[in-house]
Amino acid sequence: MISFPEHIQKTMPYQAGKPIAELARETGIEESAIIKLASNENPLGMSPRAKQLAMHALDDVSRYPDAHGFNLKLELSKRFSVPDQWITLGNGSNDILEMVASTFLQPGTAAVFSQYGFIVYGQATQRVGAEAIVVPAKDYGNDLEAILAAVTPHTRVIFLANPNNPTGTFLPAAEVEQFLAAVPAHVVVVLDEAYNEYLPQELRFDSAEWVRKYPNLVVSRTLSKAYGLAGLRVGYAIAQPHITDYMNRIRQAFNVSNVAQAAAIGALQDEEFLQQTYASNRKGLEQLIRAVSALGIEYIPSYANFVLIRIPQANAVYQALLSRGIIVRPVGVYGLAEWLRISVGTEAENEAFARALEHALQTLKENGNG
Ligand SMILES: *Cc1c(COP(=O)(O)O)cnc(C)c1O
């Protein structure tokens, strides 16, 4: 008989947003007619420069990628003014989160994170047999005081997303910095900034500066969201070298493909595309909020590229939207059974969503379920 370690038996699979091709197979709706607002992807696609460099890199796929990602790290180290040894590349930032868990956690230790924190924090912790300490949220966001209070001598890692997914809440720089200064030295803080590029200029802060100041800080970023490279899987961490040394020992040597490394360089260099993405998202977020407000729907103000809206009949509305070719994200696994998370799409996609939502709610009402 094969036996599975207890912590593996308790590990749950990740529930991703429904892929477009899957809904097409299930409903017969053309893939091109399906709108996916479920995984916080960039509705504008990818930067043309990223695409150009990726296509060029295809000529070399018979070779292994550069295991040290020299050129990509060079690009990042210029951008953040940190030495390249401070950077760790990941197969998406998910990989970074897993690396942190594998580097610092083991049975008998604990990781602390917030209720409504990114689902991967719990999974990464569970996978290595450590204990997850989940701290109640405050107004759907991270409660820094409570997170600090939950730290014990066994705590090795704190996972903190800012802005937070799936709630879209944000903690200002001053609060985060005060928190970093108060975290005990034996605890590594992972500041997950997957949505940093969507913050308005006045809310941005220099998290690389914090890495210089706090030797227990790991800043995690991704090319999957604003940079539009979700399918290529590139993320990175910035931390001091006593941390990155060990993360790189456990990292799979070829975790980021040569095509992905090339595309990431192109994406980072294309400031114009990033600006377009930012502007399109601000407009789209306002558009979605106007639409749900007009329907009298409660929502959580968002600092990212998605918005969480309160729909008491979330599952019925999710299904009704699917039948009209629109994929959004149920968040029941987060304990938010009455909410749906809507990623910001293009203007036309947001409009189509708003009309389908209105129709779905109307139908529910007529059937006496509203
Ligand atoms: C999307 C997301 C990530 C990771 O995405 P990758 O594609 O693995 O880089 C990490 N953290 C949060 C909070 C996210 O929402």
Side-chain angles (χ1 to χ4, degrees):
M1 267 285 262
I2 297 172
S3 77
F4 298 89
E6 199 184 323
H7 65 272
I8 297 298
Q9 290 180 37
K10 285 187 191 152
T11 303
M12 289 297 140
Y14 180 78
Q15 288 180 15
K18 186 185 262 302
I20 288 175
E22 186 178 302
L23 184 62
R25 282 195 300 273
E26 289 169 359
T27 59
I29 301 173
E30 289 270 344
E31 284 192 23
S32 60
I34 291 174
I35 295 173
K36 185 179 175 212
L37 304 176
S39 301
N40 303 342
E41 296 148 340
N42 189 331
L44 306 184
M46 74 194 288
S47 136
R49 173 151 182 84
K51 186 167 185 176
Q52 191 185 24
L53 296 196
M55 303 268 277
H56 192 65
L58 274 176
D59 290 340
D60 278 326
V61 290
S62 59
R63 305 279 176 201
Y64 281 99
D66 175 1
H68 299 289
F70 182 84
N71 290 324
L72 175 52
K73 282 190 188 171
L74 192 65
E75 192 64 40
L76 290 165
S77 77
K78 274 190 290 187
R79 163 169 305 245
F80 292 103
S81 308
V82 297
D84 58 355
Q85 298 94 320
W86 290 36
I87 297 162
T88 308
L89 300 180
N91 189 252
S93 58
N94 238 286
D95 191 24
I96 297 292
L97 302 172
E98 301 274 3
M99 274 188 245
V100 169
S102 303
T103 304
F104 296 101
L105 297 174
Q106 61 177 323
T109 65
V112 174
F113 48 89
S114 179
Q115 179 191 21
Y116 315 137
F118 188 39
I119 208 90
V120 169
Y121 305 157
Q123 287 178 335
T125 303
Q126 182 66 44
R127 231 178 60 150
V128 294
E131 184 194 355
I133 299 176
V134 182
V135 176
K138 188 166 92 183
D139 301 329
Y140 295 99
N142 297 305
D143 182 345
L144 294 180
E145 266 178 48
I147 288 173
L148 262 186
V151 169
T152 72
H154 303 297
T155 303
R156 293 289 175 275
V157 176
I158 294 172
F159 290 107
L160 183 71
N162 198 38
N164 190 52
N165 175 24
T167 58
T169 56
F170 176 72
L171 294 166
E175 286 178 42
V176 177
E177 170 131 42
Q178 204 181 11
F179 168 80
L180 292 174
V183 171
H186 72 277
V187 179
V188 169
V189 178
V190 180
L191 187 57
D192 180 347
E193 300 186 329
Y195 300 96
N196 175 274
E197 295 82 4
Y198 284 113
L199 288 173
Q201 205 56 49
E202 68 274 14
L203 295 180
R204 303 263 177 102
F205 42 84
D206 186 359
S207 26
E209 188 56 43
W210 290 344
V211 173
R212 281 181 210 103
K213 209 161 152 186
Y214 300 103
N216 58 341
L217 176 61
V218 177
V219 167
S220 170
R221 298 265 186 110
T222 183
L223 278 288
S224 296
K225 304 287 158 62
Y227 289 104
L229 299 183
L232 279 176
R233 316 303 303 128
V234 192
Y236 59 94
I238 309 171
Q240 290 189 18
H242 66 279
I243 289 181
T244 52
D245 175 22
Y246 280 96
M247 282 176 64
N248 277 295
R249 292 187 202 193
I250 60 134
R251 181 179 63 83
Q252 277 191 44
F254 303 114
N255 62 337
V256 185
S257 76
N258 49 7
V259 176
Q261 290 184 31
I265 292 169
L268 289 163
Q269 290 172 345
D270 194 341
E271 199 54 45
E272 192 186 329
F273 179 79
L274 196 65
Q275 280 307 320
Q276 280 169 9
T277 294
Y278 173 81
S280 158
N281 185 65
R282 297 306 296 180
K283 271 176 71 177
L285 201 52
E286 283 170 25
Q287 184 190 0
L288 282 177
I289 284 166
R290 263 197 315 275
V292 298
S293 300
L295 295 170
I297 293 168
E298 187 186 341
Y299 66 92
I300 298 175
S302 171
Y303 291 83
N305 66 337
F306 54 85
V307 62
L308 200 59
I309 65 174
R310 181 169 218 148
I311 306 279
Q313 305 269 348
N315 192 48
V317 169
Y318 172 64
Q319 296 298 339
L321 292 172
L322 283 182
S323 72
R324 303 188 63 167
I326 296 177
I327 312 171
V328 298
R329 190 66 161 270
V331 280
V333 291
Y334 285 91
L336 293 162
E338 294 202 339
W339 299 77
L340 291 173
R341 193 191 67 190
I342 320 299
S343 303
V344 176
T346 61
E347 187 175 355
E349 289 172 336
N350 299 332
E351 177 60 27
F353 160 76
R355 268 187 273 123
L357 177 64
E358 183 172 9
H359 182 267
L361 292 172
Q362 191 60 37
T363 308
L364 272 180
K365 210 176 194 175
E366 285 163 12
N367 296 339
N369 294 318

